[in-house]
Amino acid sequence: MSSSNDTGDGGGSIVVVGAGPGLGAAVARRFGREGYGVGLVARDRARLDALVADLAADGVPARGYTADVRDAEQLTDALGAAAADLGPVEILQYSPAPHRDFMRPVLETGPRDLLGPIEFSVYGAVAAVREVLPGMRERGRGTLLFVNGGTAAVPHPERAGTSVAFAAESAYAHLLHERLAPEGIHVSQLIIPGAIVPGHVRKDPAILAETLWGLHCDRTGFRHYADDLDS
Ligand SMILES: NC(=O)c1ccc[n+]([C@@H]2O[C@H](COP(=O)([O-])OP(=O)(O)OC[C@H]3O[C@@H](n4cnc5c(N)ncnc54)[C@H](OP(=O)(O)O)[C@@H]3O)[C@@H](O)[C@H]2O)c1
């Protein structure tokens, strides 16, 4: 491993919570190349198996763990299993792709419509962090990466659920950033305005994965933007 976070004892892993063929796969490739064990968490076993097979064909060994981030017990079990198989979680990336139903207009959004987005973006993030953080604090190192769309920075009236929930997730992550920096644990958020676009100069999945690798290595600041907010 060549991370500035590396203390040379090896055996660490990255777990991507919410991993699919886009950003999740690209991050698996980028961090896997550095020697980290790679754990991928998503709901669908068949899709995970296909992703693991794709990565293996490219020489990136990864393992898939099924969990719905909206079910804290499933999520913590998955993270525990990943750590047991792959070694302590040195890097946690929280980046499940939000459901379309979370993006309803603000005037059509009632309390129940916020349940899903909040469970997804806040409760899931908190459950994941609380599972991996004790080990990071014990070892005195670790990285927590949060990935969000542009509504985390600028709420959108047609996407109320994600706007509200991403804001709460951002606040939680920012608090962690402040609190954990003195312990050697780095917390960053990458905001990706607009869509992830293969071939895009800044928003191709492999380029975003490089950006995330840079956040892990450079360990500066909380919020980072993958592109201009109005893009
Ligand atoms: N795609 C974009 O255009 C875009 C734009 C801006 C920001 N982002 C951010 O980029 C990240 C996603 O990257 P991506 O779109 O390229 O996705 P990806 O890594 O290709 O796939 C994300 C995976 O999240 C999993 N997921 C969804 N709901 C889940 C749940 N409830 N529990 C567990 N896993 C769940 C899905 O797998 P299962 O269905 O098997 O669970 C999906 O394959 C997110 O942080 C998103 O906010 C994406």
Side-chain angles (χ1 to χ4, degrees):
M1 293 181 206
S2 61
S3 157
S4 60
N5 197 31
D6 179 28
T7 58
D9 54 3
S13 63
I14 175 169
V15 178
V16 180
V17 176
L23 185 65
V27 166
R29 287 193 168 86
R30 183 64 189 89
F31 285 74
R33 207 199 310 161
E34 304 292 335
Y36 286 100
V38 177
L40 307 168
V41 178
R43 292 164 301 178
D44 188 279
R45 169 52 64 191
R47 279 199 291 268
L48 271 176
D49 288 347
L51 185 52
V52 166
D54 269 4
L55 290 166
D58 292 344
V60 179
R63 293 183 74 152
Y65 303 87
T66 53
D68 186 332
V69 299
R70 294 175 63 182
D71 183 322
E73 200 178 326
Q74 282 182 16
L75 184 52
T76 54
D77 284 354
L79 288 165
D85 292 341
L86 304 166
V89 180
E90 299 266 337
I91 303 146
L92 177 83
Q93 175 171 302
Y94 194 81
S95 56
H99 198 279
R100 219 162 250 294
D101 286 355
F102 299 170
M103 303 178 204
R104 296 164 61 81
V106 64
L107 297 183
E108 292 167 25
T109 297
R112 283 186 190 179
D113 299 310
L114 291 179
L115 183 65
I118 296 283
E119 281 183 348
F120 180 89
S121 295
V122 186
Y123 295 173
V126 175
V129 166
R130 289 181 69 83
E131 176 64 21
V132 300
L133 194 54
M136 290 182 176
R137 296 185 77 190
E138 210 169 282
R139 293 187 298 280
R141 65 178 193 274
T143 301
L144 301 170
L145 298 171
F146 294 83
V147 182
N148 294 102
T151 55
V154 181
H156 193 294
E158 299 299 313
R159 297 176 210 152
T162 47
S163 296
V164 170
F166 280 177
E169 180 187 349
S170 302
Y172 174 64
H174 202 161
L175 292 172
L176 291 174
H177 171 85
E178 304 285 335
R179 177 64 183 77
L180 293 170
E183 297 189 31
I185 297 166
H186 181 61
V187 185
S188 264
Q189 178 186 46
L190 180 65
I191 291 184
I192 306 171
I196 294 176
V197 183
H200 189 280
V201 65
R202 295 181 73 184
K203 296 191 289 181
D204 177 88
I207 290 169
L208 293 168
E210 191 62 42
T211 302
L212 286 155
W213 174 252
L215 298 186
H216 166 64
C217 294
D218 297 346
R219 311 182 83 66
T220 53
F222 170 64
R223 177 170 280 183
H224 301 264
Y225 294 91
D227 201 358
D228 300 333
L229 262 181
D230 55 6
S231 60

